[in-house]
Amino acid sequence: MSEPRKIVIVGAGLAGATAAGTLRERGYAREILLLGTDTHRPYELPPLSKGLLMGNTDEPDWVHDAGFYEEKDIAFRSGVTATRIELGSRLVHDDAGGEHRFDRLVLATGSEPRSLPVPGGDLPGLRTLRTLDDALALRSAVKDAGRVVIVGAGWIGTEAAAAAREHGAEVTVVDQVGSPLLAVLGEQVSGVFKDLHTAHGVNWRLGEGVAGFTGGPDGVTGVRLQSGDELPADVVLVAVGAAPRVGLAHAAGLELSDDGGVCADAGLRTAAPDVYAIGDIAAQFHPRYGKRVRVEHWSNAKWQGEHVAGNLLGENEPYLKSPYFFSDQYDLGCEYRGLADPETDQLVVRGDLAARDFTAFWLRDGQVTAAMNVNQWDDGDALKALVEGRATVTAEQLKTAELKSLA
C-alpha cells in the first residue's frame, strides 16, 4: 500500500482529532484535512457531564493545545459540515461549497442526542447534553433552577442528576426501566446507584413513560407521565441516549449495521476502498467477541483514532481493545472494562455493595467478560488483564484470591 497523498477526516471530535494527531506522530508528512461541525476546537466529552457541569472547571479537556493544528500543518476547518461523499470520485463536499479530494477517508461523525417523539417534544427550552455549549447552558440553567426533571436514567442522566443535586436543585429522574443503568449493570449493581442517588435526595419515577412535555412559546414547564401525573420543572433534560450520525455514510451507499452504525471490518475499514469508520459510528467486527461491536465511550473514540492512523499508513492491524468507561457521581467513582450481558452472565462481587466499596465481575462459561471497580483503585492493571485475557477463573477465586495472581 503506497502512502496516501491526502487524508480527509470527517468529524473533529475526539476520534477524528486523535487520528489526525497520531498520523503526525507516526511521521506522516502529507496533507491532512480535518472537518468539524462544532465551532470549538476538538474536545473530550466526559468532563461535560462531570466536572464542567458541577462547576469545577469552565473548560473541557481539549484534545490538543490551541496551536497544535497549525503547528502540525493539519488543515482544521471548524464549523464546517460535510454534506456529500462521492466514493467513486473520492470527493467530500461541504456546506461551504468546498470539494475535497481524498486518497483515504476517515468517517468519525460521532453521535447526536436522541429525542422523544411525544407531544411537546419540540418545545423551546428542552435540553440535551452533548456539546460544550450544551453543558455550559445547562449548568447556568441548573444553578438558577428550583426543580429539575431528567428523562433517562443512564450514565448522562445519573451524572447530571448528581450535578444538579450538588447545585441544590430538587431533582426527579424518570425512566421506563425499574432501576438506573439496569441494561448495563443488572439489577443488583444498578441498585447501588439507585440507593446512592436516593441518599442524596433524588426522586425517582421509574417504570414510567413520558406522555409529553408541557409548556408553550416561552418554553417547557414540565413533564407529563403516562400515568397522568405532571411534574413541574424549571429545567428539563432529555437524556435518553445517542444516535450515531450516519446519514452521510448511508447516503454514500455504505452498509449499516442492525444497530445503525457503519459496518467496518476488524481493522476499521468499510467495504468501500480506502474508507474507514471510527468512534461512535463504527460497527466493527471485533475479533475478541466474534461479532460486530459499536461502542459510544470516550476510550473507544480515542483508541480507535490512534489505531486507525497505523492502518491508514498500511499496517492492516485488527483493533482488539475491550470497551472501557468511567463515571463519577457524588463520592462514588467507578471504572468498567469489558462487555457483559448482565441478564445471562454470572455476577460475582468482591467487597461490600452496601458500602459502595467493591469490584463486580461478570462471568460467562467461567471466563471474565467484564469487571467494574467501585471506589477501589489498586487493582486496575489486574482487572484489565483479567478482562483482556478472558481469564478462566471461579467465583470463589475472584472473591478471595489476590487478583494479580489470577491475571
Side-chain angles (χ1 to χ4, degrees):
M1 179 185 288
S2 60
E3 184 175 82
R5 291 166 297 178
K6 181 175 181 178
I7 296 173
V8 174
I9 302 171
V10 178
L14 176 57
T18 298
T22 305
L23 282 166
R24 288 295 189 239
E25 291 175 7
R26 299 289 298 271
Y28 178 69
R30 295 190 174 188
E31 191 172 354
I32 300 173
L33 173 63
L34 178 63
L35 298 176
T37 59
D38 203 314
T39 56
H40 301 283
R41 74 178 191 268
Y43 53 88
E44 301 182 9
L45 298 185
L48 304 189
S49 59
K50 300 177 177 69
L52 196 143
L53 195 56
M54 290 283 295
N56 298 332
T57 180
D58 292 326
E59 293 192 5
D61 292 337
W62 303 104
V63 181
H64 299 111
D65 293 336
F68 176 86
Y69 303 98
E70 183 176 359
E71 292 169 3
K72 299 298 183 181
D73 194 26
I74 295 169
F76 169 44
R77 303 287 184 264
S78 63
V80 175
T81 300
T83 57
R84 183 162 57 94
I85 300 170
E86 294 181 33
L87 293 175
S89 302
R90 295 181 178 246
L91 282 175
V92 174
H93 300 260
D94 67 39
D95 61 356
E99 293 185 359
H100 311 287
R101 189 170 300 280
F102 63 86
D103 294 297
R104 308 234 161 87
L105 174 65
V106 180
L107 299 177
T109 45
S111 296
E112 59 191 3
R114 295 185 186 275
S115 59
L116 286 177
V118 297
D122 57 352
L123 281 172
L126 272 177
R127 299 187 180 275
T128 56
L129 180 53
R130 186 68 188 178
T131 69
L132 173 56
D133 291 338
D134 289 341
L136 292 172
L138 179 61
R139 183 179 71 182
S140 178
V142 166
K143 283 182 176 180
D144 298 328
R147 299 164 298 189
V148 174
V149 176
I150 298 171
V151 181
W155 293 109
I156 295 297
T158 51
E159 290 179 356
R165 285 298 297 139
E166 295 289 352
H167 286 300
E170 176 186 323
V171 177
T172 301
V173 178
V174 180
D175 203 307
Q176 291 181 323
V177 301
S179 189
L181 306 165
L182 183 63
V184 178
L185 303 178
E187 186 171 355
Q188 194 171 354
V189 180
S190 72
V192 172
F193 287 83
K194 182 179 180 182
D195 293 344
L196 170 69
H197 282 272
T198 300
H200 282 82
V202 170
N203 303 304
W204 297 107
R205 297 300 296 263
L206 299 172
E208 298 193 58
V210 172
F213 298 101
T214 58
D218 293 332
V220 63
T221 58
V223 179
R224 186 172 67 254
L225 303 182
Q226 291 177 346
S227 64
D229 292 347
E230 293 199 10
L231 306 175
D234 303 301
V235 173
V236 177
L237 172 65
V238 178
V240 293
R245 291 191 182 102
V246 295
L248 188 69
H250 182 56
L254 295 177
E255 180 185 0
L256 302 186
S257 63
D258 291 342
D259 67 348
V262 178
C263 291
D265 68 10
L268 302 170
R269 293 178 299 269
T270 72
D274 298 321
V275 178
Y276 296 74
I278 60 174
D280 290 6
I281 68 168
Q284 177 220 5
F285 180 83
H286 200 301
R288 184 178 301 279
Y289 302 107
K291 63 179 182 180
R292 293 200 180 279
V293 173
R294 191 176 68 82
V295 179
E296 296 178 356
H297 298 309
W298 156 88
S299 60
N300 190 68
K302 179 177 176 60
W303 294 339
Q304 287 191 348
E306 293 171 344
H307 188 86
V308 79
N311 287 351
L312 287 165
L313 301 179
E315 290 187 357
N316 196 29
E317 294 293 327
Y319 177 79
L320 299 174
K321 288 185 180 291
S322 295
Y324 166 89
F325 65 86
F326 68 97
S327 184
D328 297 308
Q329 302 179 28
Y330 310 108
D331 59 352
L332 184 152
C334 65
E335 298 175 303
Y336 179 104
R337 296 168 173 83
L339 190 63
D341 182 348
E343 289 191 0
T344 59
D345 292 353
Q346 178 188 2
L347 173 66
V348 179
V349 176
R350 177 190 180 106
D352 190 339
L353 283 174
R356 296 190 283 275
D357 186 15
F358 65 92
T359 298
F361 299 91
W362 286 267
L363 292 179
R364 185 182 310 156
D365 299 326
Q367 293 184 323
V368 179
T369 59
M372 179 180 184
N373 51 303
V374 175
N375 289 339
Q376 294 188 351
W377 309 107
D378 295 335
D379 296 316
D381 289 342
L383 297 180
K384 178 181 178 181
L386 286 168
V387 171
E388 294 286 348
R390 296 183 70 89
T392 300
V393 295
T394 66
E396 186 62 26
Q397 286 176 315
L398 289 175
K399 290 179 180 180
T400 61
E402 183 181 3
L403 293 177
K404 292 180 181 179
S405 68
L406 303 177

